[in-house]
Amino acid sequence: EGVGVAFTLELTNDVQGDVTVAVSFADGTTASGDFTHTTQSFTFAGGAKGTKTVTVPTNDDSFLETDETFTASLALTAGNSEVVVSDTGTGTITDNDVASVTITDATAVEGVGVAFTLELTNDVQGDVTVAVSFADGTTASGDFTHTTQSITFTGGAKGTKTVTVPTNDDTFLETDETFTASLSLTAGNSEVVVSDTGTGTITDNDVASVTISDATAVEGVGVAFTLELTNDVQGDVTVAV
């Protein structure tokens, strides 16, 4: 698109007198703004066999679309009426635009949804639907909702959408945990790129401490201090006293 589509006309044999043909154009999967639809006229002077080139200007738009086609048809407007002009040509306009769906990294405290932002980076012809799926990194099955979500950019309009993933507010102290969000195209133009991934981080909101009591004993008897781990913790906890 943006470059002229060049058809070649050929008069296959010499003809007595000039031969003039009109070349007209009709949309196939193209629309009115995709190319110049103006009919063009060509004359083979003196009826000499040979070739002529018909160039049709095309419009370089900015949105991703499928390749499109239109038809070129001939009509004899002057010359020997026995010249056959029933042939047609198909013009194809190939697209030169790109579009992708990206996804951001996102962070939330456990118990709060992790909100990823998806962006369709360019306008696309027709709806674009992506599935967002999730895989554990350092998370486990109970840390967040793993259900795949589906997002549609209606009409292929570029812009952003938010995908929120519920997380579980547990009660034990653990390190911050991560998981991955991946994209797949489920409907729309197959040339939309969906290779991006996002990392979700769940930050912990729990606390734990080891306390030690006061202790008293008669001399000669051991002084017994009590240590308490005040909350469950992910993994062993070892303290030196």
Side-chain angles (χ1 to χ4, degrees), residues 99-105 116-121 130 132 153 159-161 183 192-198:
S100 60
V101 178
T102 61
I103 186 169
T104 60
D105 296 334
F116 296 92
T117 299
L118 278 67
E119 180 180 6
L120 179 60
T121 61
V130 293
V132 189
F153 293 89
T160 60
K161 301 278 186 182
L183 308 176
V192 175
V193 178
V194 290
S195 58
D196 198 23
T197 60

Side-chain angles (χ1 to χ4, degrees), residues 5-11 19-26 35-44 51-57 70-78 85-91:
V5 178
F7 297 91
T8 299
L9 278 65
E10 182 180 6
L11 180 60
V19 174
T20 301
V21 293
V23 188
S24 60
F25 309 98
F35 69 94
T36 302
H37 290 63
T38 306
T39 297
Q40 300 186 39
S41 181
F42 288 86
T43 297
F44 293 88
T51 60
K52 302 280 186 181
T53 299
V54 179
T55 301
V56 181
F70 63 97
T71 300
S73 301
L74 307 176
L76 185 68
T77 57
V85 289
S86 58
D87 197 21
T88 59
T90 299

Side-chain angles (χ1 to χ4, degrees), residues 65-152:
E65 56 195 330
T66 57
D67 295 344
E68 298 173 307
T69 60
F70 63 97
T71 300
S73 301
L74 307 176
L76 185 68
T77 57
N80 190 311
S81 62
E82 294 185 2
V83 175
V84 178
V85 289
S86 58
D87 197 21
T88 59
T90 299
T92 301
I93 305 172
T94 58
D95 193 52
N96 61 355
D97 301 296
V98 295
S100 60
V101 178
T102 61
I103 186 169
T104 60
D105 296 334
T107 300
V109 175
E110 62 181 13
V112 178
V114 178
F116 296 92
T117 299
L118 278 67
E119 180 180 6
L120 179 60
T121 61
N122 197 6
D123 292 326
V124 177
Q125 186 181 47
D127 291 351
V128 174
T129 302
V130 293
V132 189
S133 58
F134 309 99
D136 289 318
T138 56
T139 52
S141 59
D143 290 321
F144 69 93
T145 301
H146 290 64
T147 306
T148 297
Q149 299 188 38
S150 182
I151 300 293
T152 297

